[in-house]
């Protein structure tokens, strides 16, 4: 007999707009109405906010909750998304450099979501390490991008324009933030943008 799936009750800590993650005054993505000046600043602002959104969707969860899988046969979890984005940052950096490519961290982009390499009773250090690695890879890719002031410059082994590269990064984070929305809601019912 199939077990019945019970979904957690939907909730948000927001009180001003109930469909938001937090109230506007508490949202670290809130710019108080200040718009960035210029194309590069706008692209970097969007990238920053999507990275922050992924982080926010993971806050307050245990490692066990972060490792909870979505729906079979998918291996997607919030923890897997963090590892995937870490791998993606490194892979992207390999696109825009000319030297020897850096090796994958978790084996491949897809392998990052496979959590079979996690010990059966991991401690929270595994989670801390995953977020530290993500921040390191983001910073390294950001540093490489910052070397190119002209957004039209084509760079690296992929001969990609810096502008296209930045838009692609925004798109990837935005797509996975959508996944994170659904994963988080399934874990504890918390919703919001």
């Amino acid at each position: 007999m199939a077990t019945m799936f019970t979904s957690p009750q939907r909730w948000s800590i927001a009180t001003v707009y109930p469909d938001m993650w937090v109230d506007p005054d508490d949202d670290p993505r809130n710019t108080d109405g200040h718009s960035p000046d210029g194309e590069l600043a706008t692209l970097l602002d969007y990238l920053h906010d999507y990275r922050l959104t992924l982080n926010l969707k993971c806050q307050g969860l245990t490692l066990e909750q972060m490792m909870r899988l979505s729906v079979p046969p998918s291996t997607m979890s919030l923890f897997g998304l963090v590892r995937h984005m870490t791998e993606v940052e490194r892979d992207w950096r390999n696109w825009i450099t000319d030297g020897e490519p850096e090796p994958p961290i978790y084996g491949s982009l897809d392998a990052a979501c496979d959590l079979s390499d996690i010990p059966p009773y991991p401690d929270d250090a595994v989670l801390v390490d995953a977020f530290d690695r993500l921040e390191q890879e983001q910073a390294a890719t950001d540093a490489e991008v910052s070397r190119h002031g002209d957004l039209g410059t084509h760079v690296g082994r992929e001969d990609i324009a810096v502008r296209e590269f930045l838009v692609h990064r925004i798109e990837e984070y935005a797509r996975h933030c959508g996944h994170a929305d659904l994963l988080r809601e399934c874990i504890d019912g918390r919703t919001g943008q």
Side-chain angles (χ1 to χ4, degrees):
M1 181 172 179
T3 37
M4 194 78 165
F5 174 76
T6 39
S7 58
Q9 184 174 349
R10 300 180 90 212
W11 65 280
S12 171
I13 64 171
T15 58
V16 177
Y17 303 106
D19 63 335
M20 295 182 75
W21 187 255
V22 295
D23 287 326
D25 288 345
D26 300 323
D27 193 335
R29 300 164 297 183
N30 190 346
T31 60
D32 295 324
H34 299 292
S35 181
D37 291 325
E39 183 181 7
L40 177 59
T42 300
L43 294 171
L44 293 176
D45 189 57
Y46 271 87
L47 179 61
H48 172 268
D49 283 356
Y50 278 120
R51 285 174 170 174
L52 193 51
T53 298
L54 180 61
N55 188 285
L56 289 170
K57 295 295 176 173
C58 298
Q59 286 181 357
L61 297 177
T62 65
L63 176 59
E64 181 182 350
Q65 290 172 312
M66 291 278 297
M67 291 178 63
R68 190 170 299 158
L69 298 180
S70 61
V71 292
S74 175
T75 59
M76 187 180 295
S77 67
L78 283 172
F79 188 69
L81 279 180
V82 169
R83 289 173 30 136
H84 173 75
M85 292 311 299
T86 303
E87 198 72 71
V88 166
E89 287 284 353
R90 177 165 289 189
D91 186 53
W92 284 335
R93 195 165 56 259
N94 284 334
W95 290 8
I96 61 171
T97 56
D98 292 316
E100 190 66 28
E102 294 181 65
I105 300 165
Y106 299 110
S108 72
L109 295 174
D110 290 337
C113 287
D114 177 6
L115 305 181
S116 61
D117 65 323
I118 305 295
Y121 302 103
D123 60 29
D124 287 341
V126 172
L127 192 54
V128 171
D129 179 63
F131 278 100
D132 286 349
R133 281 180 180 235
L134 177 58
E135 287 179 17
Q136 291 166 7
E137 293 301 316
Q138 289 169 337
T141 305
D142 290 348
E144 186 61 37
V145 169
S146 72
R147 294 181 50 238
H148 310 286
D150 181 352
L151 294 176
T153 302
H154 285 252
V155 296
R157 64 182 51 80
E158 297 292 323
D159 192 39
I160 188 169
V162 174
R163 176 182 293 103
E164 181 183 353
F165 180 74
L166 286 169
V167 170
H168 183 69
R169 292 172 83 196
I170 293 165
E171 176 273 331
E172 181 86 4
Y173 273 97
R175 185 166 64 93
H176 288 311
C177 282
H179 295 137
D181 284 341
L182 297 174
L183 287 163
R184 179 63 187 249
E185 186 174 356
C186 285
I187 292 167
D188 71 353
R190 186 163 181 194
T191 63
Q193 87 305 349

